[in-house]
Short mmCIF file of all heavy atoms in Angstrom, two decimals:
data_model
loop_
_atom_site.label_atom_id
_atom_site.label_comp_id
_atom_site.label_asym_id
_atom_site.label_seq_id
_atom_site.Cartn_x
_atom_site.Cartn_y
_atom_site.Cartn_z
N GLY A 35 21.93 7.75 27.62
CA GLY A 35 21.99 8.92 28.51
C GLY A 35 21.16 8.68 29.77
O GLY A 35 20.32 9.49 30.12
N LEU A 36 21.43 7.54 30.42
CA LEU A 36 20.55 7.16 31.53
C LEU A 36 21.08 7.61 32.88
O LEU A 36 22.28 7.47 33.16
CB LEU A 36 20.38 5.64 31.56
CG LEU A 36 19.92 4.97 30.27
CD1 LEU A 36 19.76 3.46 30.48
CD2 LEU A 36 18.60 5.56 29.81
N THR A 96 4.89 19.95 31.21
CA THR A 96 4.93 19.21 29.94
C THR A 96 5.35 17.76 30.15
O THR A 96 5.78 17.39 31.25
CB THR A 96 5.95 19.86 28.98
OG1 THR A 96 7.22 19.90 29.66
CG2 THR A 96 5.53 21.25 28.58
N THR A 97 5.24 16.99 29.09
CA THR A 97 5.70 15.60 29.13
C THR A 97 7.20 15.60 28.84
O THR A 97 7.63 15.42 27.69
CB THR A 97 4.90 14.76 28.12
OG1 THR A 97 3.52 14.91 28.42
CG2 THR A 97 5.27 13.29 28.23
N GLY A 98 7.97 15.87 29.87
CA GLY A 98 9.43 15.98 29.72
C GLY A 98 9.79 17.29 29.02
O GLY A 98 8.93 17.98 28.44
N SER A 99 11.07 17.64 29.07
CA SER A 99 11.47 18.85 28.35
C SER A 99 11.52 18.58 26.84
O SER A 99 11.51 19.50 26.04
CB SER A 99 12.79 19.43 28.85
OG SER A 99 13.71 18.43 29.12
N GLN A 100 11.51 17.31 26.48
CA GLN A 100 11.45 16.99 25.04
C GLN A 100 10.19 17.60 24.43
O GLN A 100 10.21 18.11 23.32
CB GLN A 100 11.46 15.46 24.86
CG GLN A 100 11.58 15.00 23.42
CD GLN A 100 12.90 15.41 22.78
OE1 GLN A 100 13.94 15.48 23.43
NE2 GLN A 100 12.87 15.71 21.50
N GLN A 101 9.09 17.56 25.18
CA GLN A 101 7.85 18.13 24.63
C GLN A 101 7.94 19.65 24.50
O GLN A 101 7.33 20.24 23.61
CB GLN A 101 6.63 17.75 25.48
CG GLN A 101 5.35 18.11 24.76
CD GLN A 101 4.08 17.83 25.54
OE1 GLN A 101 4.03 18.01 26.75
NE2 GLN A 101 3.05 17.38 24.85
N VAL A 102 8.72 20.27 25.38
CA VAL A 102 8.91 21.73 25.26
C VAL A 102 9.58 22.04 23.93
O VAL A 102 9.20 22.98 23.22
CB VAL A 102 9.76 22.26 26.44
CG1 VAL A 102 10.10 23.72 26.22
CG2 VAL A 102 9.03 22.06 27.77
N ILE A 103 10.60 21.26 23.61
CA ILE A 103 11.33 21.51 22.36
C ILE A 103 10.36 21.41 21.19
O ILE A 103 10.36 22.23 20.27
CB ILE A 103 12.51 20.51 22.22
CG1 ILE A 103 13.50 20.71 23.38
CG2 ILE A 103 13.21 20.67 20.87
CD1 ILE A 103 14.58 19.64 23.46
N THR A 123 25.43 19.18 19.25
CA THR A 123 24.33 19.50 20.18
C THR A 123 23.40 18.29 20.32
O THR A 123 23.65 17.22 19.76
CB THR A 123 23.59 20.76 19.71
OG1 THR A 123 22.72 21.21 20.76
CG2 THR A 123 22.74 20.48 18.48
N TYR A 124 22.35 18.51 21.12
CA TYR A 124 21.42 17.43 21.46
C TYR A 124 20.67 16.96 20.20
O TYR A 124 19.90 17.71 19.61
CB TYR A 124 20.45 17.94 22.53
CG TYR A 124 19.37 17.00 22.96
CD1 TYR A 124 19.63 15.68 23.31
CD2 TYR A 124 18.05 17.44 23.05
CE1 TYR A 124 18.62 14.83 23.72
CE2 TYR A 124 17.03 16.61 23.48
CZ TYR A 124 17.32 15.30 23.80
OH TYR A 124 16.31 14.47 24.21
N LEU A 125 20.91 15.72 19.86
CA LEU A 125 20.41 15.17 18.61
C LEU A 125 18.88 15.22 18.50
O LEU A 125 18.33 15.54 17.44
CB LEU A 125 20.90 13.71 18.52
CG LEU A 125 20.46 12.89 17.36
CD1 LEU A 125 21.02 13.47 16.08
CD2 LEU A 125 20.92 11.46 17.53
N SER A 126 18.18 14.92 19.59
CA SER A 126 16.71 14.87 19.51
C SER A 126 16.11 16.26 19.35
O SER A 126 14.95 16.38 18.94
CB SER A 126 16.12 14.18 20.74
OG SER A 126 16.69 12.91 20.88
N ALA A 127 16.87 17.30 19.67
CA ALA A 127 16.38 18.66 19.38
C ALA A 127 16.54 18.93 17.88
O ALA A 127 15.64 19.47 17.24
CB ALA A 127 17.14 19.69 20.20
N TYR A 166 19.17 27.84 19.97
CA TYR A 166 19.01 26.73 20.91
C TYR A 166 20.33 26.55 21.65
O TYR A 166 21.39 26.43 21.02
CB TYR A 166 18.64 25.46 20.15
CG TYR A 166 18.61 24.22 21.01
CD1 TYR A 166 17.63 24.05 21.99
CD2 TYR A 166 19.56 23.21 20.87
CE1 TYR A 166 17.59 22.92 22.79
CE2 TYR A 166 19.53 22.06 21.65
CZ TYR A 166 18.53 21.93 22.61
OH TYR A 166 18.51 20.81 23.41
N ALA A 167 20.26 26.55 22.99
CA ALA A 167 21.51 26.43 23.76
C ALA A 167 21.31 25.52 24.97
O ALA A 167 20.26 25.53 25.61
CB ALA A 167 21.96 27.81 24.23
N ILE A 168 22.35 24.74 25.26
CA ILE A 168 22.40 23.92 26.49
C ILE A 168 23.64 24.40 27.23
O ILE A 168 24.70 23.75 27.17
CB ILE A 168 22.52 22.41 26.17
CG1 ILE A 168 21.59 22.01 25.01
CG2 ILE A 168 22.25 21.54 27.41
CD1 ILE A 168 21.93 20.65 24.41
N PHE A 171 26.44 22.02 31.35
CA PHE A 171 26.74 20.59 31.27
C PHE A 171 25.99 19.94 30.09
O PHE A 171 25.13 19.06 30.27
CB PHE A 171 26.39 19.87 32.59
CG PHE A 171 26.80 20.63 33.81
CD1 PHE A 171 25.90 20.82 34.87
CD2 PHE A 171 28.06 21.19 33.91
CE1 PHE A 171 26.27 21.53 36.00
CE2 PHE A 171 28.44 21.90 35.05
CZ PHE A 171 27.53 22.07 36.09
N SER A 172 26.36 20.38 28.93
CA SER A 172 25.63 20.02 27.71
C SER A 172 25.62 18.52 27.43
O SER A 172 26.50 17.77 27.83
CB SER A 172 26.29 20.75 26.54
OG SER A 172 25.66 20.41 25.34
N ASN A 173 24.62 18.12 26.72
CA ASN A 173 24.58 16.83 26.05
C ASN A 173 24.82 17.15 24.57
O ASN A 173 24.04 17.91 24.00
CB ASN A 173 23.19 16.21 26.24
CG ASN A 173 23.03 14.88 25.54
OD1 ASN A 173 23.98 14.34 24.98
ND2 ASN A 173 21.83 14.34 25.57
N PRO A 174 25.87 16.68 23.93
CA PRO A 174 26.67 15.53 24.34
C PRO A 174 28.00 15.87 25.02
O PRO A 174 28.64 14.97 25.55
CB PRO A 174 26.99 14.87 23.00
CG PRO A 174 27.16 16.02 22.05
CD PRO A 174 26.16 17.06 22.52
N ASP A 201 17.90 25.09 27.23
CA ASP A 201 17.54 23.73 27.63
C ASP A 201 18.46 23.34 28.79
O ASP A 201 19.67 23.24 28.62
CB ASP A 201 17.74 22.81 26.40
CG ASP A 201 17.20 21.42 26.63
OD1 ASP A 201 16.59 21.18 27.68
OD2 ASP A 201 17.39 20.57 25.72
N ASP A 202 17.86 23.12 29.96
CA ASP A 202 18.68 22.96 31.16
C ASP A 202 18.31 21.70 31.98
O ASP A 202 17.93 21.79 33.14
CB ASP A 202 18.52 24.22 32.04
CG ASP A 202 19.46 24.23 33.24
OD1 ASP A 202 20.53 23.60 33.18
OD2 ASP A 202 19.11 24.87 34.25
N PRO A 203 18.47 20.51 31.37
CA PRO A 203 18.12 19.32 32.14
C PRO A 203 19.17 18.93 33.18
O PRO A 203 18.86 18.19 34.12
CB PRO A 203 18.00 18.23 31.07
CG PRO A 203 18.78 18.70 29.90
CD PRO A 203 18.84 20.19 29.97
N TYR A 204 20.41 19.43 33.01
CA TYR A 204 21.51 18.92 33.85
C TYR A 204 22.01 19.93 34.88
O TYR A 204 22.93 19.63 35.63
CB TYR A 204 22.69 18.51 32.94
CG TYR A 204 22.28 17.48 31.92
CD1 TYR A 204 22.08 17.83 30.58
CD2 TYR A 204 22.03 16.16 32.31
CE1 TYR A 204 21.65 16.89 29.65
CE2 TYR A 204 21.60 15.23 31.38
CZ TYR A 204 21.41 15.60 30.05
OH TYR A 204 20.98 14.66 29.15
N THR A 231 13.67 25.75 29.76
CA THR A 231 13.05 24.47 30.09
C THR A 231 13.97 23.62 30.96
O THR A 231 15.19 23.64 30.82
CB THR A 231 12.63 23.68 28.82
OG1 THR A 231 12.09 22.41 29.24
CG2 THR A 231 13.80 23.41 27.89
N SER A 232 13.32 22.91 31.89
CA SER A 232 14.06 21.93 32.68
C SER A 232 13.12 20.76 32.97
O SER A 232 11.98 20.72 32.46
CB SER A 232 14.62 22.55 33.96
OG SER A 232 15.47 21.62 34.60
N THR A 233 13.56 19.83 33.78
CA THR A 233 12.87 18.53 33.87
C THR A 233 13.16 17.86 35.21
O THR A 233 14.18 18.14 35.84
CB THR A 233 13.37 17.63 32.71
OG1 THR A 233 12.79 16.34 32.82
CG2 THR A 233 14.89 17.45 32.73
N PHE A 234 12.27 16.95 35.60
CA PHE A 234 12.55 16.11 36.78
C PHE A 234 13.18 14.77 36.36
O PHE A 234 13.39 13.91 37.21
CB PHE A 234 11.26 15.85 37.56
CG PHE A 234 10.74 17.09 38.26
CD1 PHE A 234 9.64 17.78 37.79
CD2 PHE A 234 11.38 17.57 39.40
CE1 PHE A 234 9.18 18.92 38.42
CE2 PHE A 234 10.92 18.72 40.05
CZ PHE A 234 9.82 19.40 39.56
N SER A 235 13.47 14.61 35.07
CA SER A 235 13.99 13.32 34.59
C SER A 235 15.33 12.97 35.22
O SER A 235 15.63 11.80 35.43
CB SER A 235 14.18 13.34 33.07
OG SER A 235 12.94 13.35 32.43
N LYS A 236 16.17 13.97 35.49
CA LYS A 236 17.51 13.67 36.00
C LYS A 236 17.55 13.82 37.53
O LYS A 236 18.35 13.16 38.18
CB LYS A 236 18.56 14.58 35.37
CG LYS A 236 18.36 14.88 33.91
CD LYS A 236 18.50 13.66 33.00
CE LYS A 236 18.04 14.02 31.58
NZ LYS A 236 18.11 12.93 30.65
N VAL A 239 13.07 10.98 38.59
CA VAL A 239 13.20 9.83 37.67
C VAL A 239 12.61 10.18 36.30
O VAL A 239 11.61 10.91 36.22
CB VAL A 239 12.48 8.55 38.20
CG1 VAL A 239 13.20 7.98 39.41
CG2 VAL A 239 11.02 8.81 38.53
N PRO A 240 13.19 9.63 35.23
CA PRO A 240 12.67 9.96 33.90
C PRO A 240 11.26 9.42 33.65
O PRO A 240 10.51 9.99 32.86
CB PRO A 240 13.68 9.33 32.93
CG PRO A 240 14.60 8.51 33.74
CD PRO A 240 14.42 8.84 35.17
N ALA A 241 10.90 8.31 34.34
CA ALA A 241 9.61 7.69 34.07
C ALA A 241 8.44 8.62 34.41
O ALA A 241 7.34 8.45 33.89
CB ALA A 241 9.49 6.39 34.86
N ARG A 243 8.14 11.49 33.44
CA ARG A 243 7.94 12.27 32.21
C ARG A 243 7.39 13.66 32.52
O ARG A 243 6.40 14.10 31.92
CB ARG A 243 7.00 11.54 31.22
CG ARG A 243 7.43 10.17 30.81
CD ARG A 243 8.82 10.08 30.21
NE ARG A 243 9.08 10.97 29.10
CZ ARG A 243 10.13 11.82 29.09
NH1 ARG A 243 10.97 11.89 30.11
NH2 ARG A 243 10.34 12.57 28.05
N THR A 244 7.99 14.33 33.47
CA THR A 244 7.51 15.68 33.80
C THR A 244 8.63 16.70 33.67
O THR A 244 9.67 16.60 34.32
CB THR A 244 6.91 15.71 35.23
OG1 THR A 244 5.87 14.73 35.29
CG2 THR A 244 6.33 17.09 35.54
N GLY A 245 8.37 17.65 32.79
CA GLY A 245 9.26 18.79 32.60
C GLY A 245 8.43 20.05 32.65
O GLY A 245 7.21 20.00 32.87
N TRP A 246 9.06 21.18 32.43
CA TRP A 246 8.31 22.43 32.42
C TRP A 246 9.03 23.46 31.55
O TRP A 246 10.21 23.31 31.23
CB TRP A 246 8.13 22.99 33.83
CG TRP A 246 9.37 23.48 34.50
CD1 TRP A 246 9.85 24.76 34.49
CD2 TRP A 246 10.29 22.72 35.31
NE1 TRP A 246 11.00 24.84 35.24
CE2 TRP A 246 11.30 23.60 35.75
CE3 TRP A 246 10.37 21.38 35.68
CZ2 TRP A 246 12.37 23.19 36.54
CZ3 TRP A 246 11.43 20.97 36.48
CH2 TRP A 246 12.42 21.87 36.90
N MET A 324 26.21 14.46 32.94
CA MET A 324 26.25 13.00 32.83
C MET A 324 27.20 12.48 31.75
O MET A 324 27.29 11.28 31.53
CB MET A 324 24.83 12.46 32.53
CG MET A 324 23.83 12.87 33.60
SD MET A 324 22.20 12.07 33.63
CE MET A 324 22.02 11.26 32.10
N PHE A 325 27.88 13.42 31.05
CA PHE A 325 28.64 12.99 29.87
C PHE A 325 30.07 13.49 29.82
O PHE A 325 30.37 14.61 30.24
CB PHE A 325 27.93 13.46 28.60
CG PHE A 325 26.51 13.00 28.50
CD1 PHE A 325 25.47 13.90 28.66
CD2 PHE A 325 26.23 11.66 28.27
CE1 PHE A 325 24.15 13.47 28.58
CE2 PHE A 325 24.90 11.22 28.18
CZ PHE A 325 23.87 12.13 28.34
N ARG A 367 31.02 9.96 22.78
CA ARG A 367 30.45 10.38 24.06
C ARG A 367 30.40 9.19 25.02
O ARG A 367 30.02 8.09 24.63
CB ARG A 367 29.02 10.90 23.84
CG ARG A 367 28.40 11.51 25.09
CD ARG A 367 26.91 11.79 24.90
NE ARG A 367 26.13 10.57 24.97
CZ ARG A 367 24.80 10.51 24.88
NH1 ARG A 367 24.10 11.62 24.70
NH2 ARG A 367 24.17 9.35 24.95
C1 PLP B 401 19.73 18.27 26.33
C2 PLP B 401 18.48 17.51 26.59
N1 PLP B 401 17.29 18.13 26.46
C3 PLP B 401 16.14 17.49 26.69
C4 PLP B 401 16.11 16.16 27.07
C5 PLP B 401 14.78 15.49 27.29
O1 PLP B 401 14.58 15.17 28.62
P1 PLP B 401 13.17 14.81 29.21
O2 PLP B 401 12.16 14.81 28.09
O3 PLP B 401 13.32 13.46 29.83
O4 PLP B 401 12.84 15.86 30.19
C6 PLP B 401 17.32 15.47 27.23
C7 PLP B 401 17.32 14.05 27.59
O5 PLP B 401 18.29 13.37 27.70
C8 PLP B 401 18.54 16.17 26.98
O6 PLP B 401 19.74 15.57 27.09
#
Side-chain angles (χ1 to χ4, degrees):
L36 306 182
T96 55
T97 304
S99 41
Q100 188 64 33
Q101 191 183 38
V102 173
I103 298 171
T123 192
Y124 177 49
L125 177 64
S126 304
Y166 174 68
I168 317 165
F171 318 132
S172 178
N173 178 6
D201 189 4
D202 187 25
Y204 303 104
T231 177
S232 188
T233 176
F234 290 105
S235 290
K236 321 295 170 181
V239 290
R243 303 305 306 126
T244 303
W246 69 93
M324 302 193 345
F325 304 108
R367 187 190 75 178

